[in-house]
Amino acid sequence: MRDEVGPLLETGQEALEAGGWEAAREAFSAALAREESPEAMFGLGEALLWLGETDETVRLDERAYAGFRRRGDPV
């Protein structure tokens, strides 16, 4: 399944870098539908922050942080 998610994460990241918040939301949401990865949660949270959805951003960032910590990645 990681093979399906990788391109979506890349698309989401590219959209974030270009300021395409809706496109980033779509890509990261699609990635999350396939696999609950901290990268997808963090990316979606970043897109939602720019879209003004701060409550959901905080929730996703907390879940992403916990996921990264479980992997031993504190950054």
Side-chain angles (χ1 to χ4, degrees), residues 36-58:
E36 286 214 5
S37 71
E39 292 86 0
M41 286 181 237
F42 184 76
L44 180 56
E46 187 75 11
L48 293 177
L49 176 66
W50 287 102
L51 291 168
E53 297 182 35
T54 54
D55 290 342
E56 186 65 8
T57 295
V58 171

Side-chain angles (χ1 to χ4, degrees), residues 6-18 20-21 23-28 43 47:
L8 291 169
L9 295 175
E10 289 177 22
T11 298
Q13 188 58 44
E14 290 169 2
L16 282 178
E17 291 171 7
W21 318 130
R25 179 204 311 234
E26 289 175 23
F28 289 120

